[in-house]
Amino acid sequence: MVWGLRGQLESRRTVLSDAIHAAVMSALDYPAEKRFHRFVGLEPEDFVYPPDRGADYIVIEISMFAGRSEQAKRRLIAELFRRIADEVGIAPHSVEITITETPQVNWGIRGQNAADLALNYSVEV
């Protein structure tokens, strides 16, 4: 999920989604067809942040299956900062990233418990 000021997200949604997905594919060896992004545009009165972050400030919350190595998560965060700066023009200082990992058994996907799905990619990278 990507949180930010509504006007900033609306004008950058596609390029931001492209940068995020490219980082996830690169760092986690994730399939190209598995793009799931939600953008939550907030009005200024609903998004409080330190003034030194600027109007570009965004929060990226990533939910994923547990199992990725610390090295893979570090790679993902570094890739996100780099690509968002280079491709979207938002400085790393104005980007906050959190990763939340959940066991597959805690997810329901495509009418099944995720622990019972045959995935076409590896979670353990």
Side-chain angles (χ1 to χ4, degrees):
M1 193 165 310
V2 181
W3 303 82
L5 291 173
R6 182 177 313 282
Q8 294 292 327
L9 288 182
E10 286 174 356
S11 66
R12 295 174 160 159
R13 185 176 297 129
T14 300
V15 68
L16 189 52
S17 180
D18 290 346
I20 292 168
H21 195 56
V24 170
M25 288 189 307
S26 174
L28 303 181
D29 196 26
Y30 203 68
E33 69 276 8
K34 300 285 184 189
R35 184 188 297 225
F36 299 99
H37 300 153
R38 289 171 278 320
F39 291 85
V40 181
L42 301 165
E43 297 304 322
E45 62 271 15
D46 296 322
F47 194 41
V48 179
Y49 53 87
D52 67 330
R53 299 305 193 271
D56 286 347
Y57 180 66
I58 58 172
V59 177
I60 300 171
E61 296 177 344
I62 300 172
S63 298
M64 63 185 185
F65 295 149
R68 272 72 177 208
S69 67
E70 181 179 319
Q71 181 181 7
K73 290 179 276 189
R74 287 178 175 274
R75 241 187 351 256
L76 175 57
I77 289 170
E79 259 315 281
L80 285 164
F81 282 133
R82 184 185 68 75
R83 287 179 184 270
I84 291 169
D86 293 350
E87 299 168 22
V88 185
I90 300 175
H93 181 72
S94 293
V95 178
E96 180 178 325
I97 302 164
T98 60
I99 297 172
T100 303
E101 294 179 290
T102 308
Q104 283 179 260
V105 73
N106 290 3
W107 290 62
I109 302 171
R110 299 189 305 260
Q112 294 185 22
N113 187 285
D116 300 327
L117 289 175
L119 301 174
N120 64 342
Y121 60 94
S122 177
V123 172
E124 295 164 357
V125 294

